[in-house]
Amino acid sequence: MRTIFLVPIAAIAAALSLSGPAGPGSPPPEKGAKLEHVAQVIVDEGRTETDVRGALLDLLDETAAAAPAAGLPGDWAEKAVRARSLIAVRSALDEEARRLLEESWRAATGRAWSMPASVARLEDATALVKRDVDGAVKALREGRAADEVRLLLEAVLVVVTPMHARAASS
């Protein structure tokens, strides 16, 4: 079985760019500006692995910013911050960073990470990331930090988790 690393980063950009203008109850302007910058970097067709890594770092920064208000149990935030540090100096697809993110997910949600069964193709992964980022933006605006954290962690994990290509049928 062949392993393919998929980075459905365009879905993150689409979700962020469709989140709409700031209004009453919106996050502080600096958060909106940061997300707008991430969206611009991601939609740039000339983006590099460094650009993708920067976008993931920004999403993990938003996760860490929500940590104090999230009230989630365990050491999930510390693990996510350590993973962020590894991605910053290594690669968006760093194995140790992915392991730490999976541990963070387990600590935050109480269950092991696995790619959702609904994700069988790149298009499925892209749709999930879009839905998660849309949901995280809405949760941020509504002050639901725990939901924001879970959605952002899932979106990042979908991007950094390898997907296995199904064998071609003859």
Side-chain angles (χ1 to χ4, degrees):
M1 180 180 291
R2 191 175 62 159
T3 300
I4 309 172
F5 290 94
L6 301 175
V7 183
I9 210 75
I12 296 172
L16 293 174
S17 65
L18 294 175
S19 61
S26 293
E30 61 275 5
K31 282 193 177 186
K34 188 175 198 177
L35 294 178
E36 286 175 11
H37 174 72
V38 169
Q40 290 172 356
V41 168
I42 292 169
V43 297
D44 180 1
E45 290 183 11
R47 71 182 175 272
T48 64
E49 182 181 339
T50 302
D51 297 331
V52 171
R53 181 176 38 228
L56 289 173
L57 294 174
D58 285 345
L59 293 176
L60 287 169
D61 287 343
E62 293 299 323
T63 303
L72 295 171
D75 61 350
W76 70 269
E78 293 85 5
K79 290 177 187 282
V81 168
R82 284 187 12 227
R84 187 224 179 271
S85 296
L86 291 173
I87 291 170
V89 297
R90 294 183 184 171
S91 163
L93 301 176
D94 182 74
E95 183 66 27
E96 185 178 353
R98 185 178 56 80
R99 182 188 53 77
L100 284 166
L101 288 166
E102 288 175 358
E103 291 174 10
S104 179
W105 173 266
R106 180 187 290 275
T109 67
R111 62 186 193 276
W113 164 257
S114 64
M115 189 67 76
S118 63
V119 177
R121 303 170 302 144
L122 176 59
E123 295 82 10
D124 302 330
T126 301
L128 177 60
V129 171
K130 181 185 181 320
R131 187 179 74 234
D132 283 352
V133 175
D134 282 343
V137 170
K138 183 176 181 185
L140 172 64
R141 289 185 173 151
E142 294 173 355
R144 296 180 292 111
D147 292 336
E148 176 190 1
V149 163
R150 287 184 197 104
L151 291 164
L152 289 174
L153 279 175
E154 183 175 60
V156 171
L157 276 162
V158 167
V159 172
V160 301
T161 300
M163 292 179 67
H164 298 283
R166 290 184 164 77
S169 56
S170 345

